[in-house]
Amino acid sequence: MLREETTSNIQSSTSIGYRKSSNKKMTKTKKRILAFARKSRRHWRARLAYLIANGVMLTLVYTTSNTSLWRKDGTVNGEHLFTQILFILFSWVAYFLVQGSDPGYLSDEVTPDEAVEYSTEAMRADMWDEDFLNEGRDDISIAKTKFKKFQDNGNTASPSKKDGKEEESDDIEQGGIGASSIEMGEEEGESQKLFEDDDEDNEFVSLMPRLDTKHPKYPYRTIYCRQVRRWVATFDHYCGVIETPIGEKNHARFWFFLQMQTICLCWAVGIVHSGFRYPYLSTQSWWGLNGHAFITVIILYILLAFVGGLYVFHTWLACTCMTTYEFMRSERIDYLKGTRDFDLPYSRGLGTNLKFFFFKDGLLHIIFNHKWQPQNWKLPGKIVRDSEEWWDNLWENKYWSCC
């Protein structure tokens, strides 16, 4: 009798454990499904916003009277209309080619507490947990202990007080932040302050090491993208307009997208300018004749300044083999230590730079059925700023210094 009860207890406990493990598996699966659904929703929200913006701009342009889109008899100028539609079609093709594309992912989704061992940027990914089902928020304070350079002459980053007594410096944990720093993240408000990297007065941030971005398995310039929580080869930036990271595998398509947007805006500006009229023989004032065209062209110029500026900037990045991430944070990235903004440590000549930029695009590898491999970057070589060979460093050499 006792043996039967023991056997039944073992079976029931085993079934309970199985149910718990299956529930755990289901929970992980559900989380992945929900995370994928959220990403899809972000992409569709971006597409809807892009569609609305295009619709508003086209409405403003086509409702401007007396432009080159209309003949004197009031009929549509078919040639101009066809050209405008063609530009818009190309811009939409460029948009869908880059939106949601693979920028050069080298890993699956990695939570900040896992990636923080290799990248201090991962710590700031805690701010984006709302897009990833709050994964990693509970463990983020534990993950901070993995850092190795937060000690400053044997002191913690921010010694805290508890019940009016200062904690001993012996609480410092080897290779990370002390227990007092971990306790700072217990409250929601205080925890968020730790991640405000723009706050120069933040004592925690001021002691953060340089951005340690080198993953032992991946080449240099592979950066942890905190928005998608994956490592991206030759990471450039995360574009919030298209909700997609830009990296080695889709940077050329992003440049093409900016080019088509710039062309469309320039064409629209030209059309609206053709609609301006002067009230020589009209009883209306200048504003009465051109108010709509004036407001429309101002909006177009603002957009052109933004999009065109990005297009010129990314053209420069393509010619110099630089990335937005490196250009904006060169003084903090570990593998760029000792370089300046315009040293261009990875530039190998205009032709080679453009060849890498365009022919590393993943779309070409799909078309020609070639397997894509990330560029195996190394540490930058020695930079000679006072060289007589000025063509090796156009920005700073023996004869002049631009920056």
Side-chain angles (χ1 to χ4, degrees), residues 37-51:
R38 287 194 174 190
K39 294 175 185 178
S40 299
R41 284 200 298 271
R42 288 204 310 271
H43 288 166
W44 279 107
R45 284 199 299 264
R47 292 168 188 171
L48 181 61
Y50 184 69
L51 176 63

Side-chain angles (χ1 to χ4, degrees), residues 142-152 154-156 169-180 182:
I142 300 176
K144 296 172 191 175
T145 61
K146 295 182 180 179
F147 288 108
K148 298 180 180 180
K149 296 182 180 180
F150 279 90
Q151 299 182 15
D152 184 14
N155 296 323
T156 58
S169 59
D170 295 334
D171 291 332
I172 300 175
E173 296 181 14
Q174 184 178 1
I177 308 174
S180 59
I182 298 177

Side-chain angles (χ1 to χ4, degrees), residues 14-186:
T14 304
S15 62
I16 291 172
Y18 175 77
R19 284 197 300 270
K20 287 182 178 179
S21 61
S22 62
N23 290 336
K24 188 175 181 181
K25 290 181 180 178
M26 287 295 293
T27 302
K28 289 183 178 180
T29 303
K30 185 177 180 180
K31 284 185 176 182
R32 290 176 181 175
I33 293 174
L34 291 176
F36 177 78
R38 287 194 174 190
K39 294 175 185 178
S40 299
R41 284 200 298 271
R42 288 204 310 271
H43 288 166
W44 279 107
R45 284 199 299 264
R47 292 168 188 171
L48 181 61
Y50 184 69
L51 176 63
I52 293 174
N54 275 254
V56 171
M57 289 299 101
L58 289 176
T59 301
L60 291 174
V61 171
Y62 284 99
T63 54
T64 303
S65 59
N66 301 318
T67 63
S68 58
L69 287 173
W70 310 97
R71 294 190 175 94
K72 293 182 179 180
D73 57 0
T75 59
V76 177
N77 188 336
E79 295 178 357
H80 282 242
L81 180 63
F82 176 77
T83 305
Q84 182 70 12
I85 292 176
L86 195 63
F87 284 153
I88 294 172
L89 179 62
F90 283 157
S91 68
W92 272 96
V93 170
Y95 178 84
F96 281 109
L97 284 177
V98 69
Q99 207 252 3
S101 61
D102 182 0
Y105 293 126
L106 299 184
S107 71
D108 295 328
E109 188 173 306
V110 180
T111 56
D113 52 309
E114 296 173 314
V116 74
E117 183 176 358
Y118 307 111
S119 175
T120 55
E121 246 335 20
M123 179 181 292
R124 298 180 180 88
D126 185 56
M127 296 185 297
W128 302 87
D129 277 346
E130 59 184 9
D131 292 334
F132 293 89
L133 307 173
N134 292 321
E135 295 178 359
R137 184 178 293 278
D138 296 336
D139 299 328
I140 197 68
S141 59
I142 300 176
K144 296 172 191 175
T145 61
K146 295 182 180 179
F147 288 108
K148 298 180 180 180
K149 296 182 180 180
F150 279 90
Q151 299 182 15
D152 184 14
N153 297 327
N155 296 323
T156 58
S158 179
S160 60
K161 295 183 180 181
K162 187 175 182 181
D163 297 331
K165 297 180 181 180
E166 295 186 358
E167 296 187 356
E168 299 292 336
S169 59
D170 295 334
D171 291 332
I172 300 175
E173 296 181 14
Q174 184 178 1
I177 308 174
S180 59
S181 297
I182 298 177
E183 291 177 1
M184 294 177 63
E186 292 180 354

Side-chain angles (χ1 to χ4, degrees), residues 316-332:
W316 179 80
L317 293 178
C319 295
T320 57
C321 201
M322 283 287 290
T323 66
T324 303
Y325 184 88
E326 293 171 343
F327 184 76
M328 300 300 292
R329 302 192 177 193
S330 60
E331 73 283 354
R332 295 178 58 192

Side-chain angles (χ1 to χ4, degrees), residues 178-232:
S180 59
S181 297
I182 298 177
E183 291 177 1
M184 294 177 63
E186 292 180 354
E187 296 182 2
E188 183 71 18
E190 293 182 358
S191 178
Q192 290 297 325
K193 292 180 181 179
L194 296 180
F195 304 102
E196 295 174 358
D197 51 348
D198 295 331
D199 185 6
E200 296 180 355
D201 297 328
N202 191 324
E203 198 171 338
F204 179 80
V205 172
S206 64
L207 294 178
M208 293 184 74
R210 299 171 65 87
L211 292 181
D212 185 11
T213 55
K214 177 66 175 74
H215 193 285
K217 295 181 180 179
Y218 307 136
Y220 284 96
R221 311 182 82 183
T222 300
I223 307 298
Y224 176 78
C225 179
R226 61 188 183 185
Q227 286 85 349
V228 296
R229 297 190 173 190
R230 299 176 72 175
W231 293 84
V232 179

